[in-house]
Amino acid sequence: MSTSSDKSGDSPTPPPKNADASTVILLLGIAGDTTWRMFVPVIGGTALGIWGDHSFDSKPWLTVIGLAVGVVVAGLLVRNQLRKDVSK
């Protein structure tokens, strides 16, 4: 019965300190990427619809169509992003 000073099986080794920072940066990058994919098409479609309504005096139809198209485009962009991230 010899006692060994090797305790490598007792506790796992902690991750390096820079792993926490890189995880936070990665998550912030994903959040930022998803945010622009959601808001740019919706705001852009709505803005184009408002401009079209003022130009062609068709209130509120072009705004509603622009908003709907923006939501669909945003959904497609986020879906494609999720598929790409999951396949990694």
Side-chain angles (χ1 to χ4, degrees):
M1 286 199 208
S2 66
T3 58
S4 173
S5 63
D6 181 25
K7 295 184 180 183
S8 62
D10 293 343
S11 65
T13 58
K17 291 190 184 285
N18 62 356
D20 292 336
S22 64
T23 302
V24 170
I25 291 171
L26 177 66
L27 289 175
L28 286 174
I30 291 172
D33 194 29
T34 303
T35 300
W36 83 260
R37 290 174 192 265
M38 288 175 18
F39 289 111
V40 168
V42 173
I43 292 172
T46 304
L48 284 173
I50 291 170
W51 173 80
D53 280 337
H54 286 293
S55 298
F56 302 113
D57 197 31
S58 60
K59 291 180 184 175
W61 297 111
L62 292 179
T63 301
V64 172
I65 291 170
L67 177 64
V69 169
V71 168
V72 169
V73 169
L76 292 172
L77 287 172
V78 171
R79 184 187 71 177
N80 289 341
Q81 177 194 10
L82 289 174
R83 284 185 177 176
K84 185 175 74 171
D85 287 345
V86 169
S87 67
K88 283 185 181 180

